[in-house]
Amino acid sequence: MQDAARSFFRSAIETPSPSGFEEPIQSLIRDYITPFADNVRSDVHGNLVASVGDLSGPKLMYAGHCDQIGMLISHIDELGFLYAQTIGGWDPQQLIGQAMTIWTAQGPVAAVISRKPIHLLNDQERKQVVQLKEMWLDIGAKDETEARQLVRIGDPVTLDLTYRPLLGDLVSGPGMDNKTGMWTVMEALRRASTSVGSLRCHLHSVSTVQEEIGLRGAKTAAGSINPDVAIAVDVTHASDCPTIEKQQQGDIRLGRGPVIFRGPNINAKVAQRLIELAEKNSIPYQLAAIGRATPNDANVLQTHGGGVATGLVSIPNRYMHSAVEVVSLSDIDHVAELLAKFAQSLTLDDDFIPS
């Protein structure tokens, strides 16, 4: 992994991107990928599309969503405490006692989120799972007037965006879902565009928006690109930690490479091409199965228009939708390499119709 690519990944983790508020990270992505693309554009929905390759070749779309779960300020009380709705799928237990940031028009405002201390909970309250309405954000305001001078209703909130290296090549932080996937599709375009030989396909790497609230960005981006082949990149649950059942999730481990999915949402020939390319290029990989429509961008890509030959490559992730998501840098590096090889292999002669 090049130093510039590694720095770009860390910057992405440290940049806010709650669903519907992706402008800061899309600006970061544009600055990074523009030197390597023939064209970079944004659509009305907020997707960023970087394109390179042969305009007359098959259209290949890579989708990695850049949005992350967050919160949205919905009320400020007379004491200056703030209440918020969730953006995306939160476990409220993950929020208790967290450092937060409110992203306002005047800049970031530090906050903490908490609930009534355990010492003051009655027996019944101690047995209950905390609800979001029982937690509040504290910015240190002395009253409602001071709070409203800084914060407006509808301002987005994220966890403290801290990038924390762990042992080996593991790193932790919020938003690994799915800034890892976004990074891989952009890095794949950079590698494919700068390698020896020319692309025989027209590659569109898309940093999609609003995946966490309904796969919205991938749907609209596919509408403008009309791809022949598409691959979504997202995270998947690693099962190499306590309490995760391998019988249901599969034996998925950090550091063992890209996870190539098979199942009815996946074009069998696309999956097989990915497997063959991984083996040919000595890229480690893992297999996983899903017997239903995937809960990620691959879902809407497959059913766009008259149908798209769709694949899904995933990145093992521990502790999804928390402040401490953990991934392996070697895994994302290998995903980017596999995607670059796939783009370089694609020609007009390829047929992905089931036989």
Side-chain angles (χ1 to χ4, degrees):
M1 187 184 298
Q2 291 186 348
D3 289 343
R6 185 189 298 267
S7 177
F8 167 55
F9 177 62
R10 179 165 188 157
S11 295
I13 297 300
E14 295 172 341
T15 301
S17 62
S19 303
F21 298 88
E22 298 95 347
E23 294 95 331
I25 197 166
Q26 297 291 46
S27 178
L28 176 77
I29 298 164
R30 177 181 288 273
D31 289 344
Y32 177 75
I33 202 61
T34 294
F36 311 108
D38 295 336
N39 178 263
V40 180
R41 65 178 177 86
S42 298
D43 64 22
V44 71
H45 207 168
N47 297 299
L48 185 139
V49 184
S51 304
V52 70
D54 186 349
L55 293 173
S56 64
K59 288 180 285 186
L60 172 61
M61 176 177 168
Y62 288 159
H65 75 87
C66 70
D67 61 307
Q68 64 189 122
I69 60 174
M71 303 181 78
L72 201 64
I73 298 297
S74 57
H75 178 64
I76 304 172
D77 72 15
E78 67 278 3
L79 297 175
F81 295 108
L82 291 73
Y83 294 81
Q85 304 172 12
T86 56
I87 299 175
W90 277 103
D91 172 5
Q93 311 304 305
Q94 295 282 353
L95 289 167
I96 300 172
Q98 291 287 355
M100 310 292 288
T101 303
I102 305 170
W103 301 94
T104 77
Q106 301 176 61
V109 173
V112 295
I113 187 169
S114 198
R115 63 174 298 193
K116 184 194 296 186
I118 190 170
H119 316 70
L120 306 179
L121 298 177
N122 60 39
D123 289 342
Q124 183 176 359
E125 288 173 326
R126 292 188 184 201
K127 297 175 183 177
Q128 293 175 339
V129 175
V130 67
Q131 298 183 49
L132 186 67
K133 65 181 181 181
E134 298 169 329
M135 290 183 279
W136 57 87
L137 290 153
D138 186 346
I139 62 172
K142 62 184 179 182
D143 55 27
E144 179 180 0
T145 299
E146 185 176 23
R148 287 186 180 274
Q149 288 173 351
L150 293 172
V151 180
R152 291 195 303 168
I153 302 299
D155 282 343
V157 185
T158 65
L159 293 157
D160 191 24
L161 300 179
T162 300
Y163 179 96
R164 187 183 301 274
L166 302 178
L167 293 177
D169 73 344
L170 303 189
V171 292
S172 175
M176 297 296 176
D177 176 9
N178 182 40
K179 295 172 186 178
T180 52
M182 175 280 295
W183 182 90
T184 65
V185 303
M186 293 301 160
E187 179 65 5
L189 183 143
R190 185 194 69 79
R191 295 183 189 190
S193 68
T194 57
S195 63
V196 177
S198 58
L199 283 173
R200 292 165 292 177
C201 71
H202 194 206
L203 171 60
H204 305 266
S205 284
V206 188
S207 173
T208 62
V209 298
Q210 298 187 33
E211 189 271 356
E212 297 289 358
I213 58 169
L215 319 179
R216 296 168 182 266
K219 183 175 182 179
T220 55
S224 65
I225 295 169
N226 287 315
D228 300 298
V229 184
I231 297 176
V233 184
D234 212 320
V235 292
T236 190
H237 298 286
S239 58
D240 59 351
C241 60
T243 74
I244 308 299
E245 296 183 359
K246 293 181 175 62
Q247 297 92 331
Q248 296 299 317
Q249 296 299 325
D251 188 4
I252 305 300
R253 305 190 184 197
L254 270 63
R256 291 206 176 174
V259 181
I260 300 171
F261 270 84
R262 303 180 68 210
N265 199 162
I266 309 302
N267 180 281
K269 291 186 176 182
V270 171
Q272 186 60 31
R273 172 77 63 90
L274 288 166
I275 292 167
E276 291 171 355
L277 287 168
E279 293 177 348
K280 178 181 178 181
N281 293 281
S282 300
I283 299 171
Y285 70 94
Q286 307 174 74
L287 290 178
I290 185 164
R292 56 185 172 84
T294 64
N296 52 46
D297 285 344
N299 185 325
V300 294
L301 292 174
Q302 183 196 38
T303 58
H304 168 71
V308 177
T310 298
L312 174 61
V313 178
S314 291
I315 298 152
N317 182 10
R318 293 179 188 158
Y319 323 127
M320 203 180 300
H321 284 201
S322 78
V324 293
E325 296 182 63
V326 176
V327 301
S328 161
L329 291 178
S330 66
D331 284 339
I332 66 172
D333 186 60
H334 283 128
V335 171
E337 189 65 15
L338 179 58
L339 295 179
K341 296 298 184 185
F342 187 95
Q344 291 163 349
S345 76
L346 194 61
T347 74
L348 280 171
D349 295 329
D350 289 317
D351 180 5
F352 293 98
I353 295 175
S355 57

